[in-house]
Amino acid sequence: MIGIFDSGLGGLTVVREVMAQLPGYDLIYFGDTARTPYGSKSPATVIQYAVQIAEWLLANGARVIVTACNTASSVATEALRQRFQVPVFEVVSPAARLVIRNPRIRSVGVIGTRATINSGVYKKMIKAERPEIKVYSRACPLLVPLVEEGWLKKPETKRIVKKYLYPLRLKQIDTLILGCTHYPILKDIIQIKIGKRIRIIDSSQAIAEAIKNFLRDHPETEEMLSRNSDHRIYVSDITEHFKEIAQDILRIPVRLEHVRL
Ligand code: DGL
């Protein structure tokens, strides 16, 4: 099984992409809804949660780990790779690579949680390969709670997105990285507020492509993954409201199961 986790339901945008790009592969998802958001927690706490969740995913049949969370990817990837022998995919470098490989890109905006932006990980990766690209980052800490709350079309959400993106508009970026797996759920609003000519890079799509390419090049890993279209979604806290949001994101009927770590 492909093991996928996030601080909450936002990582289901990665599940959606994995289902679309790798149809039939069994997957197990863990959304840490009891402890979300991670973006305002310290790196030490996020690492502790990520290790605990990866252990649980592996104990429950995962053969690879997908960190469907930019925050955990930014701070916990090294700890996960040191500790576990299985392939660990993180969500940051696939999106950064899309920028690096596109010669037309000159000026990039990155939005993410406070922890992701403070880690500077996108800027470091892009600048290491393409120092001439301008990178402007902006933490948007209110967006994860708005998504988890299901406030997807409220005027307040539109106003907050506009306020967060305004400084990036002034910088005349040509590309915007959605550096948080919750943000694709707000993609339409983000596109309108940043301007329809701006290219949007969705880290959820980028990681699904990276997994697909890796499995094509590593048949020994691919062979370990079962393909019975078995999709299991677990959360650390469950309410009717979470079920509705999960359904909205995945656009299919969802059965959420509760698990206490
Ligand atoms: N989806 C997570 C991310 O990509 C949100 C982190 C949080 O819980 O704040 O960063």
Side-chain angles (χ1 to χ4, degrees):
M1 271 197 270
I2 301 176
I4 306 179
F5 76 94
D6 178 44
S7 63
L9 300 172
L12 290 176
T13 58
V14 174
V15 170
R16 191 170 73 193
E17 290 300 329
V18 169
M19 283 175 171
Q21 298 196 36
L22 291 160
Y25 283 86
D26 298 347
L27 63 87
I28 179 166
Y29 178 83
F30 183 88
D32 201 359
T33 46
R35 300 187 292 201
T36 195
Y38 284 5
S40 40
K41 299 198 167 59
S42 69
T45 299
V46 175
I47 290 172
Q48 182 201 330
Y49 292 169
V51 167
Q52 190 187 22
I53 295 168
E55 265 164 6
W56 183 85
L57 288 171
L58 293 169
N60 284 278
R63 294 284 173 269
V64 299
I65 298 293
V66 178
T67 307
C69 173
N70 284 262
T71 306
S73 295
S74 305
V75 302
T77 300
E78 227 179 276
L80 293 177
R81 289 196 173 139
Q82 269 171 14
R83 197 163 177 128
F84 304 108
Q85 303 309 313
V86 301
V88 174
F89 297 92
E90 47 79 30
V91 81
V92 174
S93 48
R97 267 202 303 274
L98 290 180
V99 170
I100 291 162
R101 288 196 190 138
N102 187 335
R104 288 201 301 267
I105 296 179
R106 305 250 170 269
S107 179
V108 178
V110 182
I111 53 173
T113 64
R114 204 170 266 137
T116 300
I117 298 305
N118 285 350
S119 78
V121 64
Y122 276 103
K123 193 170 186 164
K124 276 182 223 151
M125 277 188 194
I126 294 168
K127 289 277 185 192
E129 302 281 333
R130 298 271 310 275
E132 79 284 7
I133 294 184
K134 293 199 172 67
V135 182
Y136 302 101
S137 306
R138 180 102 166 114
C140 307
L142 291 174
L143 299 190
V144 169
L146 287 170
V147 169
E148 294 281 327
E149 200 49 47
W151 279 33
L152 306 184
K153 298 210 161 79
K154 300 253 185 198
E156 291 84 352
T157 305
K158 293 179 186 167
R159 277 206 295 277
I160 291 168
V161 170
K162 184 175 176 187
K163 202 170 167 65
Y164 277 142
L165 294 181
Y166 184 67
L168 297 175
R169 269 188 86 114
L170 292 182
K171 298 288 181 198
Q172 300 194 317
I173 56 168
D174 53 52
T175 302
L176 179 69
I177 298 180
L178 305 185
C180 172
T181 53
H182 282 69
Y183 299 174
I185 300 158
L186 298 172
K187 193 170 178 177
D188 292 348
I189 298 178
I190 292 172
Q191 184 78 71
I192 291 167
K193 299 300 178 196
I194 195 65
K196 58 178 187 301
R197 290 213 177 81
I198 308 302
R199 180 187 298 105
I200 289 191
I201 292 185
D202 172 343
S203 60
S204 302
Q205 267 170 3
I207 192 175
E209 265 164 42
I211 300 167
K212 191 167 132 188
N213 293 340
F214 178 90
L215 294 180
R216 188 196 53 215
D217 298 341
H218 295 82
E220 71 291 354
T221 307
E222 201 279 335
E223 277 159 20
M224 288 194 310
L225 301 176
S226 44
R227 296 183 76 169
N228 304 305
S229 298
D230 180 7
H231 302 140
R232 300 184 196 169
I233 315 282
Y234 292 90
V235 285
S236 52
D237 187 27
I238 195 162
T239 63
E240 269 310 309
H241 173 71
F242 284 150
K243 285 187 199 163
E244 283 164 26
I245 296 172
Q247 211 128 297
D248 277 356
I249 299 173
L250 287 178
R251 301 171 192 145
I252 49 167
V254 176
R255 196 161 64 93
L256 288 191
E257 291 180 63
H258 184 211
V259 67
R260 224 179 279 281
L261 288 193

